[in-house]
Amino acid sequence: MSSSHAPSNPGTLSYEQAGVNYDLIDPLKVSAQRAAASTATQLGRHGFTEVAASRGESAYVVDVGPFYIASIVECLGSKALVADEMATLTGRSWYDGIAQDTIAMAVNDLITVGATPLVVQAYWAAGGSDWFGDAQRAQALVAGWKKACEVCNVAWGGGETPALAGIVEAGRIDLAASCTGLINPKQRLSVGDGLQAGDAIVLLDASGIHANGLSLARKLVERLPNGWLTEVDPVNHPGLTYGAALLAPTPLYSPVTEALWAAGIVPHYCANITGHGWRKLLRHPAAFTYRIHTLPPVPPVLKFIQHHAQHDDREAYSTLNMGAGFAIFVAAEDAERTVAVAQAQGIGARIAGVVEAGPKQLLIEPIGVRFGDDDLQLR
Amino acid sequence: MSSSHAPSNPGTLSYEQAGVNYDLIDPLKVSAQRAAASTATQLGRHGFTEVAASRGESAYVVDVGPFYIASIVECLGSKALVADEMATLTGRSWYDGIAQDTIAMAVNDLITVGATPLVVQAYWAAGGSDWFGDAQRAQALVAGWKKACEVCNVAWGGGETPALAGIVEAGRIDLAASCTGLINPKQRLSVGDGLQAGDAIVLLDASGIHANGLSLARKLVERLPNGWLTEVDPVNHPGLTYGAALLAPTPLYSPVTEALWAAGIVPHYCANITGHGWRKLLRHPAAFTYRIHTLPPVPPVLKFIQHHAQHDDREAYSTLNMGAGFAIFVAAEDAERTVAVAQAQGIGARIAGVVEAGPKQLLIEPIGVRFGDDDLQLR
């Protein structure tokens, strides 16, 4: 890594200083995306076709006739390292929540294209056989995985539990989930064709940092007086430590998208707010202006990170979810009902803005921040 | 790990001495399998059902009406560590073959249930962003992945390329693949119901060690006079080094299973020969005796390992594939044609034995080895 050592004196802590250098990853990503796209013709051998518009989206979609199949594999990232630190400090395992986070990474991406998740496979690659010897931790992982599958109404199909000494670090685990789903009936397909000026932007609440921005969050702990046990909001949330707040599990949003379908609401587009924070609202390839008039409440742990990393609003909203976990773009007349459907599933939601004709940009009016087309290059 | 340090004096080198302790992993596996099985009822919410017999098989199968969907996630294991060593010694990247190995792990398992692989997702978790900065290596991985997808007629849907410093070791990469396929028409489903006494056992040739037994193979290198560059068979294969021989890519067997269907042959059962070597021939849950009368040629690198690890035939065949990469159980009258179909796809094959009524056991007659029911506990 070119910049893994942040200065030890306090100051702004950027994402690059926290150890992730996208300049090194991106050329490979572009090359891999081109190679992957070229393989689409293989489906023709089986009489099927890809949904080409899904190539730039969060899940890959194939037309198999009676319905579409969507599939995905997603990594948890480095959140498990926080669970390990907190286990040492608190004496209990946090892997039940970590399991939910891992499944959320896959499921919340899969549903953006209109898919109903059906099967999840577990990928648990440990640094050695002994990882699985800690029964309390292993059982927490199993129990959390099962529960998250039940919340999403998916079958846990199976998976891999390799011991990878020499590849995965001793005492650590690399967690990922793959997910397969159906878009059924086919009208549920949501890869962007439906988005139009006048649509409402409904934001589903985040529970905290979810599983993006953890490199930054982990780097920041060095600056905190009491480390992982520093309270993030002593006045309003006494006793809530930085570590525990970071470990709030990511919500599973598929009950909301399923309930929307049951209520007769078909989103015009969806975006899972993960890496790149609010810039993910610019994900759709067409030129629209997204005007935000109402902000969700910012989870205390994200306010805390913004403060200690000395991020201005622009940097915070460009990196973290700042309270918005998932964006649903719907016809204006469906907006209030969309909020009600989400809330009935126990997920906070609000009409946050509107899609307008205009140059591609995101205008977050309450804080005076603008992101343009240059600020997000995902494709 | 309880036993990662083998004695430095030569002697028998067991799989446990090579660093994999299944006793620690198995309780978690059992617990995870039970929890996973309990989630099957979730599919009922969507009007679907699982194919319960697939729970013990290599891929998970769901009945979605017009056809079955099969899905899987599979890990490469530690073979990439050999590629890293050989890159240092030879100055070239071996990751094109490693890519094929990773896809083979997923595809060769998926096809056992009768599925046609359709979509592969890449999971490439590196120890840091800088892994992707080695352009030669990264491009070899991309090119090999693309080529393997083309051989299998699958679309490369996308994937994840996280940088996981602190979880994956610096300079290393954790490679896995997920695969989704269809069993279409439904008569192609092969989860064991069809197996019967009198069936022939056709074995498809292995190219080498594939991606199982690498912990043992890597441990063994310490004993070799010239390390990775030791020749494995100077008389018949001059210049073939241990490292290069280990890195022979795993064959992709899906062109064979697709060609069998095209030829009107429906296997009664299939087994991918991976971990546990020939004991995988006992995978089917029912009680049958498998009598082997003809052995495939043993790849030079496996002969070499057997010799240097001082394994008797029983230990070698219980750990390594010993030349058998994939087993197809077919009606006796289809056996010769099955061999011909495989060979037409460029995969060596032979009728190796027969399924008989009798106690559950594998009799490898040419070497006088018997494995019983106790020798394989996979479920």
Side-chain angles (χ1 to χ4, degrees):
Chain A
M1 243 153 305
S2 61
S3 53
S4 58
H5 300 287
S8 58
N9 60 315
T12 303
L13 181 61
S14 77
Y15 208 72
E16 282 66 30
Q17 284 170 328
V20 178
N21 184 341
Y22 284 109
D23 290 345
L24 291 174
I25 301 178
D26 287 346
L28 170 86
K29 270 197 152 174
V30 170
S31 156
Q33 282 165 353
R34 282 186 190 148
S38 78
T39 62
T41 53
Q42 300 297 330
L43 294 169
R45 303 290 196 95
H46 312 291
F48 303 136
T49 52
E50 74 169 14
V51 174
S54 73
R55 279 270 169 211
E57 298 301 325
S58 297
Y60 183 63
V61 183
V62 175
D63 186 345
V64 295
F67 30 64
Y68 300 104
I69 293 182
S71 62
I72 198 168
V73 66
E74 287 292 324
C75 178
L76 171 66
S78 64
K79 191 165 180 172
L81 295 175
V82 181
D84 293 342
E85 298 285 349
M86 285 297 286
T88 305
L89 293 169
T90 66
R92 81 147 173 110
S93 174
W94 297 75
Y95 272 83
D96 48 351
I98 288 293
Q100 178 174 329
D101 282 309
T102 308
I103 290 182
M105 290 306 99
V107 163
N108 292 349
D109 263 4
L110 192 87
I111 60 176
T112 62
V113 295
T116 302
L118 284 187
V119 177
V120 161
Q121 304 278 355
Y123 183 75
W124 302 347
S129 319
D130 53 350
W131 198 95
F132 301 108
D134 178 336
Q136 190 208 19
R137 180 173 59 185
Q139 292 310 323
L141 180 60
V142 169
W145 200 273
K146 174 173 182 278
K147 188 178 160 208
C149 287
E150 288 167 349
V151 170
C152 297
N153 293 143
V154 301
W156 176 2
E160 278 270 273
T161 54
L164 293 182
I167 295 178
V168 174
E169 299 225 15
R172 304 300 184 187
I173 193 161
D174 178 18
L175 294 170
S178 72
C179 186
T180 300
L182 291 189
I183 299 166
N184 178 30
K186 291 173 95 170
Q187 305 94 279
R188 286 188 67 175
L189 181 69
S190 151
V191 289
D193 332 41
L195 190 66
Q196 51 189 287
D199 283 351
I201 304 169
V202 173
L203 296 177
L204 306 186
D205 285 359
S207 59
I209 196 170
H210 295 183
N212 290 95
L214 270 300
S215 296
L216 171 68
R218 289 187 299 114
K219 193 73 193 162
L220 199 63
V221 78
E222 298 165 13
R223 300 182 173 188
L224 303 180
N226 203 12
W228 298 106
L229 299 182
T230 306
E231 288 184 84
V232 295
D233 184 0
V235 175
N236 299 306
H237 298 85
L240 178 63
T241 65
Y242 183 56
L246 287 173
L247 288 168
T250 310
L252 298 156
Y253 295 120
S254 68
V256 175
T257 50
E258 289 305 300
L260 285 174
W261 172 253
I265 298 172
V266 180
H268 292 177
Y269 193 64
C270 292
N272 187 20
I273 311 300
T274 54
H276 305 92
W278 281 50
R279 290 179 287 166
K280 276 279 163 70
L281 292 172
L282 290 165
R283 178 158 205 145
H284 192 281
F288 285 111
T289 290
Y290 305 89
R291 189 179 301 273
I292 302 294
H293 52 66
T294 303
L295 295 180
V298 181
V301 69
L302 300 184
K303 267 189 200 154
F304 181 87
I305 290 172
Q306 178 178 12
H307 172 75
H308 285 275
Q310 299 183 23
H311 284 183
D312 59 20
D313 283 341
R314 183 182 170 80
E315 188 158 8
Y317 279 78
S318 77
T319 308
L320 302 167
N321 71 57
M322 300 306 277
F326 195 88
I328 302 175
F329 303 78
V330 290
E333 63 268 28
D334 289 335
E336 285 187 14
R337 234 164 25 105
T338 298
V339 169
V341 165
Q343 288 174 341
Q345 295 296 322
I347 302 283
R350 70 209 65 242
I351 304 173
V354 63
V355 181
E356 298 176 354
K360 186 161 188 169
Q361 59 180 341
L362 170 65
L363 303 172
I364 312 178
E365 294 190 331
I367 53 172
V369 167
R370 174 190 176 277
F371 293 112
D373 200 10
D374 294 349
D375 291 313
L376 184 73
Q377 297 296 341
L378 290 174
R379 290 161 192 265
Chain B
M1 237 152 313
S2 61
S3 54
S4 58
H5 299 286
S8 58
N9 61 315
T12 302
L13 181 59
S14 76
Y15 209 71
E16 281 66 31
Q17 284 170 329
V20 178
N21 185 341
Y22 285 109
D23 290 344
L24 290 174
I25 300 178
D26 287 348
L28 171 84
K29 270 197 153 174
V30 170
S31 154
Q33 283 166 354
R34 281 186 192 149
S38 77
T39 63
T41 52
Q42 299 298 328
L43 294 169
R45 303 288 195 98
H46 312 292
F48 303 136
T49 51
E50 75 169 12
V51 174
S54 74
R55 279 270 168 210
E57 298 300 325
S58 297
Y60 182 64
V61 182
V62 175
D63 186 344
V64 295
F67 30 63
Y68 300 104
I69 293 181
S71 62
I72 197 167
V73 66
E74 287 291 323
C75 177
L76 171 65
S78 64
K79 191 165 181 174
L81 295 174
V82 181
D84 294 342
E85 298 284 349
M86 285 298 285
T88 305
L89 294 168
T90 66
R92 81 150 174 106
S93 174
W94 297 75
Y95 271 83
D96 47 351
I98 288 294
Q100 177 174 329
D101 282 308
T102 309
I103 291 182
M105 290 307 99
V107 163
N108 292 349
D109 264 5
L110 193 86
I111 60 177
T112 60
V113 294
T116 301
L118 284 187
V119 177
V120 161
Q121 304 279 356
Y123 183 74
W124 301 348
S129 319
D130 54 348
W131 197 96
F132 301 108
D134 178 337
Q136 191 208 17
R137 181 174 58 186
Q139 292 309 322
L141 180 60
V142 169
W145 199 273
K146 175 173 183 279
K147 190 179 159 207
C149 286
E150 289 167 350
V151 169
C152 297
N153 293 144
V154 301
W156 176 1
E160 277 271 275
T161 55
L164 293 183
I167 295 177
V168 174
E169 299 222 14
R172 304 299 185 188
I173 193 161
D174 178 18
L175 295 169
S178 72
C179 187
T180 301
L182 291 189
I183 299 166
N184 178 31
K186 291 173 94 170
Q187 305 93 279
R188 286 187 68 176
L189 180 69
S190 151
V191 288
D193 333 41
L195 190 67
Q196 51 189 287
D199 283 351
I201 304 168
V202 174
L203 295 178
L204 306 186
D205 285 358
S207 60
I209 196 170
H210 296 182
N212 289 94
L214 270 300
S215 296
L216 171 68
R218 289 188 298 114
K219 193 73 193 163
L220 200 63
V221 78
E222 297 165 13
R223 299 181 173 188
L224 303 179
N226 203 12
W228 298 106
L229 300 181
T230 305
E231 290 185 84
V232 296
D233 184 1
V235 175
N236 300 305
H237 297 86
L240 178 63
T241 65
Y242 183 55
L246 287 175
L247 288 168
T250 310
L252 298 156
Y253 296 119
S254 68
V256 175
T257 49
E258 289 306 298
L260 284 175
W261 172 252
I265 298 171
V266 179
H268 292 178
Y269 192 63
C270 292
N272 187 21
I273 312 300
T274 54
H276 304 93
W278 280 50
R279 290 179 287 166
K280 276 277 164 72
L281 292 171
L282 290 165
R283 178 161 204 142
H284 191 281
F288 285 111
T289 291
Y290 305 90
R291 188 180 300 274
I292 302 295
H293 51 67
T294 304
L295 294 180
V298 181
V301 71
L302 299 185
K303 267 189 199 152
F304 181 88
I305 290 172
Q306 179 179 11
H307 173 74
H308 285 275
Q310 300 182 23
H311 284 182
D312 59 20
D313 283 339
R314 182 181 170 83
E315 187 158 8
Y317 278 78
S318 76
T319 309
L320 302 166
N321 70 57
M322 299 307 276
F326 195 89
I328 303 175
F329 302 79
V330 290
E333 63 268 26
D334 288 335
E336 286 188 15
R337 237 167 20 106
T338 297
V339 169
V341 164
Q343 287 174 341
Q345 295 296 323
I347 301 284
R350 70 209 65 244
I351 304 173
V354 63
V355 180
E356 298 176 354
K360 186 163 189 168
Q361 58 180 340
L362 170 66
L363 304 171
I364 313 179
E365 294 190 330
I367 53 172
V369 167
R370 174 191 176 277
F371 293 112
D373 199 10
D374 293 348
D375 292 314
L376 185 71
Q377 296 298 341
L378 291 175
R379 288 159 194 265

